[in-house]
Amino acid sequence: MSIKFDYTAVVQRFSARFPVLSYIMTQIGFWVSANILLGAIIHLQTLSITHNAKLPMPGNFLPTIIIGSIAGILYGGCYGLIDYYFDKNIFRKKSLGKIILLKTVTSLVLLALILMFIRYILFYLFIPHPVDNANFSLKGISWKYLVYTVVIFYFFMTLLINFINQVNKKYGPGVLIPLLLGKYRNPQEEERIFMFMDLKSSTAVAERLGHLEYSSFIRDSFMDINQVLSPFNAEVYQYVGDEIILTWRVNDGLNHESCVRFFFACEKQFINRIEYYTKRYNLLPNFKASLHMGKVTAVEIGEIKRDIAYHGDTLNTAARIQSVCNDYDKKLLISEYLLEKIDSNIHLTAEALGMIQLKGKTKKIGIASIAWVE
C-alpha cells in the first residue's frame, strides 16, 4: 500500500512541536538562498566586466557560496530569533506602522553588523590576499558600492520574507507551496475535525462592557486562545464575531485527544490570566464549544480577497451541536461519531445525551458532553 506524503501536515506538525526552531530555520533557509543568489549575480556581473575590459578573471564561485551561506545563517538565525521574540512578546498589541518601523530598524542594525563581519573577517578568510589583487578590493569606493547593492537587495528580500510570514500567519505553515502549485484551485475532499467555540452570554457581556471594551475583550480572548494552538496542532479556520472556528487534520486531532484537551487548555489559559481579566474587565472569558468530524471539501475562493474555504455537512452539524450547549447547560458537546474514535483518558469523562434532533437536520445525531476531571 502506497503512503501519500502530505507536505502541509508534516510542516504543521514540525511547527507545532518546535515553533521557535521552525521560525528560525525558515529565516535561515531563505537568507542563505538569498545570499547565494546575490553572490551569483555579483559574480556573473564581475565576469562580464572583466571579460569586456580584458582584465584577469576573478577566482571561482566557491568562496562566495561559503561567505553567503555563513552570512545567511548568522543573519537568518539572529533575525529569526529576534523577530519571533518580538512577535510573541512586544508586537501583540502594536500598530502595523510601529511593527514595520521596529522591524526595519532591527533589520538595518543587524545587517550593519553582518556587513562588518563580512568585510573584516569572512572576506579575508575565504578570499586570499585581496589587497594584492588590483581587480577587486573591499576598500573605499568598492566597499561603498557593495554596501549599496546589499542594502537594496536585502530591502526587497525582507519584503518577500515578510510576505511569506504573513501568508503563514493567515493560512498556517506549509500552505504557501500547495497554494502556489494550485492544490486548492479545484475542490479537494478531506476528512477533518471542527470545533465551534462561542462566547457564552455574549449579549449580556456586550451590554455590560459597552461595544469598545467588548471588542477589546474578544480580541484578548482570541489572542489567548491563539497561544494554545501550537501544542495541540489546532488551526484557526475563521473568526466570526465572538465565535472562533478551529480545525484539525484527523490524525493530529485524535492524537492524545488533542481536539478535546485543547478546549480545557484554553480554559486554563484564561484562569492563568485571571488577574489581567479581572483588573481590566472584571470578567473572565467563558466559552461553549462543539466538536464533530467528517468529510469536507477544501477549495480556494475569491478574487479580491482570496481564502481557503471548507464546505460540507460536517461544518453545519458542528455548528448545530454548539447551538444546543445552553439547552443542556454544557460547556463542551461532541458527536458520538467522533467520541467513538477518541481514546479513553482518565481526565476526560463523557456523558451521553442520547439522539438529538438538531435544527435543520432530518436525522437525529448522537451527542455527548465532555468534562475534565483532575
Side-chain angles (χ1 to χ4, degrees):
M1 181 178 68
S2 62
I3 298 176
K4 184 178 179 181
F5 177 74
D6 192 332
Y7 166 79
T8 302
V10 171
V11 172
Q12 289 180 344
R13 289 187 191 117
F14 183 83
S15 298
R17 189 173 181 182
F18 308 104
V20 180
L21 182 60
S22 174
Y23 199 90
I24 292 175
M25 285 180 62
T26 300
Q27 293 281 348
I28 289 176
F30 178 86
W31 287 110
V32 168
S33 301
N35 283 347
I36 292 175
L37 173 62
L38 176 61
I41 294 171
I42 294 175
H43 186 74
L44 290 173
Q45 184 64 22
T46 304
L47 288 176
S48 174
I49 293 172
T50 53
H51 181 269
N52 289 333
K54 301 190 183 306
L55 297 171
M57 298 298 287
N60 63 59
F61 187 50
L62 181 60
T64 304
I65 294 178
I66 296 174
I67 292 174
S69 299
I70 294 174
I73 292 171
L74 291 174
Y75 183 85
C78 294
Y79 185 75
L81 188 62
I82 293 171
D83 202 33
Y84 181 86
Y85 174 79
F86 278 3
D87 280 342
K88 292 296 181 182
N89 299 281
I90 298 176
F91 290 157
R92 291 183 64 185
K93 295 184 180 180
K94 297 291 185 183
S95 67
L96 182 60
K98 289 182 179 179
I99 291 174
I100 293 174
L101 178 62
L102 288 172
K103 285 191 174 184
T104 301
V105 172
T106 302
S107 177
L108 289 174
V109 171
L110 190 57
L111 179 57
L113 293 174
I114 294 296
L115 285 172
M116 293 299 104
F117 182 69
I118 291 174
R119 180 180 184 182
Y120 294 110
I121 298 178
L122 291 184
F123 190 79
Y124 289 95
L125 284 175
F126 297 102
I127 307 293
H129 309 297
V131 291
D132 298 331
N133 189 339
N135 298 322
F136 191 71
S137 171
L138 283 186
K139 288 179 178 284
I141 197 70
S142 297
W143 171 250
K144 184 173 73 172
Y145 287 141
L146 180 61
V147 168
Y148 290 163
T149 303
V150 172
V151 169
I152 293 172
F153 181 81
Y154 264 59
F155 172 77
F156 287 101
M157 288 297 104
T158 299
L159 293 179
L160 180 58
I161 189 65
N162 284 335
F163 166 76
I164 294 173
N165 288 335
Q166 290 303 314
V167 171
N168 284 338
K169 287 180 180 180
K170 178 174 176 60
Y171 296 110
V175 178
L176 178 59
I177 291 179
L179 270 178
L180 294 175
L181 295 177
K183 177 180 179 180
Y184 297 104
R185 293 299 290 176
N186 296 311
Q188 303 287 321
E189 188 177 67
E190 298 179 4
E191 189 168 22
R192 279 184 168 268
I193 298 170
F194 284 90
M195 172 182 282
F196 282 67
M197 285 183 69
D198 187 47
L199 184 69
K200 292 188 69 174
S201 306
S202 56
T203 302
V205 173
E207 290 178 349
R208 175 178 171 181
L209 296 178
H211 67 279
L212 290 178
E213 280 296 281
Y214 178 69
S215 292
S216 296
F217 180 73
I218 293 297
R219 176 204 63 196
D220 289 342
S221 300
F222 286 172
M223 289 178 70
D224 278 326
I225 290 174
N226 273 260
Q227 297 302 307
V228 189
L229 294 174
S230 293
F232 297 93
N233 296 309
E235 306 169 35
V236 174
Y237 170 43
Q238 285 180 344
Y239 299 100
V240 185
D242 53 17
E243 181 179 66
I244 179 172
I245 306 173
L246 304 118
T247 182
W248 288 262
R249 296 173 185 276
V250 172
N251 290 337
D252 292 334
L254 296 181
N255 187 35
H256 300 298
E257 308 84 45
S258 291
C259 62
V260 177
R261 293 190 301 115
F262 171 80
F263 178 79
F264 300 106
C266 290
E267 288 195 324
K268 185 177 180 181
Q269 173 73 2
F270 295 142
I271 292 174
N272 291 339
R273 297 247 297 157
I274 190 170
E275 184 177 349
Y276 169 79
Y277 282 105
T278 303
K279 184 178 180 180
R280 174 71 190 272
Y281 306 106
N282 195 28
L283 184 68
L284 194 65
N286 190 12
F287 281 80
K288 56 186 177 181
S290 64
L291 274 167
H292 185 47
M293 183 180 83
K295 290 185 177 180
V296 294
T297 55
V299 63
E300 187 179 349
I301 60 172
E303 289 297 331
I304 304 300
K305 181 183 183 297
R306 291 184 179 272
D307 209 341
I308 297 175
Y310 295 104
H311 302 129
D313 184 65
T314 299
L315 283 138
N316 182 52
T317 301
R320 297 299 185 188
I321 293 174
Q322 191 264 114
S323 69
V324 299
C325 283
N326 288 341
D327 297 344
Y328 294 92
D329 192 27
K330 300 297 182 181
K331 287 186 175 181
L332 177 60
L333 296 181
I334 183 173
S335 67
E336 286 190 352
Y337 173 72
L338 175 55
L339 182 62
E340 291 172 355
K341 300 182 181 300
I342 292 177
D343 296 331
S344 60
N345 187 308
I346 60 173
H347 295 293
L348 298 176
T349 60
E351 176 189 354
L353 302 178
M355 301 297 290
I356 308 298
Q357 184 71 56
L358 298 173
K359 184 178 179 180
K361 306 291 291 183
T362 57
K363 295 182 180 180
K364 291 184 178 181
I365 182 172
I367 295 177
S369 69
I370 300 286
W372 181 268
V373 180
E374 294 293 346

